Amino acid sequence: MALTSEASAVWNGDLPHGSGSISLESSKLATFSYNWKARSEGENGVSTPEELLAAAHAGCFAMAFSNELATAGHTATRVSASAAVTFDIAKGGITGSHLNVNAEVPGISEEAFQTIAAAAKAGCPVSKALAGIEITLEATLV
């Protein structure tokens, strides 16, 4: 069964001075303000498409890693993942995503942990969608 998730965006004004909002339409859970200043310079309290992409990548990777662990016979007590998506104007836009995961997995070796983390990075559907950018991974067994 295929599931389609939806979001919408409204933009008002020109790029450097305008602003808009991004809404999570499927869940109706949130609407985020966004603007060019936040995207190009950073601004507290205002989101960016890259921040939302980072959230999607972190969430997807955490799920994929948990699944890869279970498939290999390991159950994680806890998986904590983050993603940092880089937007570089000079290089034409989104240039990379750095995944960072800390996980408690009883009885797993460091080598198996790293192998499974790499497989999850490659198999994560959001990672696959981001195939045109560099994706790096830092995995820590705690």
Side-chain angles (χ1 to χ4, degrees):
M1 173 181 157
L3 175 67
T4 301
S5 296
E6 297 182 26
S8 64
V10 174
W11 186 262
N12 301 298
D14 64 5
L15 182 60
H17 305 102
S19 63
S21 62
I22 299 170
S23 298
L24 305 180
E25 296 297 339
S26 297
S27 65
K28 304 285 188 213
L29 288 175
T31 297
F32 304 95
S33 297
Y34 75 121
N35 63 37
W36 179 249
K37 182 179 180 186
R39 194 172 196 190
S40 62
E41 300 172 30
E43 182 177 355
N44 287 335
V46 181
S47 191
T48 66
E50 292 73 30
E51 181 181 36
L52 297 172
L53 186 57
H57 203 189
C60 183
F61 176 77
M63 293 171 76
F65 188 44
S66 180
N67 185 56
E68 289 285 340
L69 286 165
T71 299
H74 302 282
T75 301
T77 304
R78 183 172 174 273
V79 173
S80 176
S82 64
V85 172
T86 301
F87 179 78
D88 188 330
I89 299 167
K91 293 183 179 177
I94 297 171
T95 58
S97 181
H98 178 71
L99 293 166
N100 191 331
V101 63
N102 294 292
E104 296 173 36
V105 187
I108 193 170
S109 70
E110 180 69 29
E111 182 180 355
F113 180 82
Q114 294 298 328
T115 299
I116 293 168
K121 179 187 96 163
C124 165
V126 174
S127 290
K128 289 179 181 180
L130 297 174
I133 65 169
E134 180 181 19
I135 300 171
T136 56
L137 172 64
E138 184 177 343
T140 305
L141 178 61
V142 293

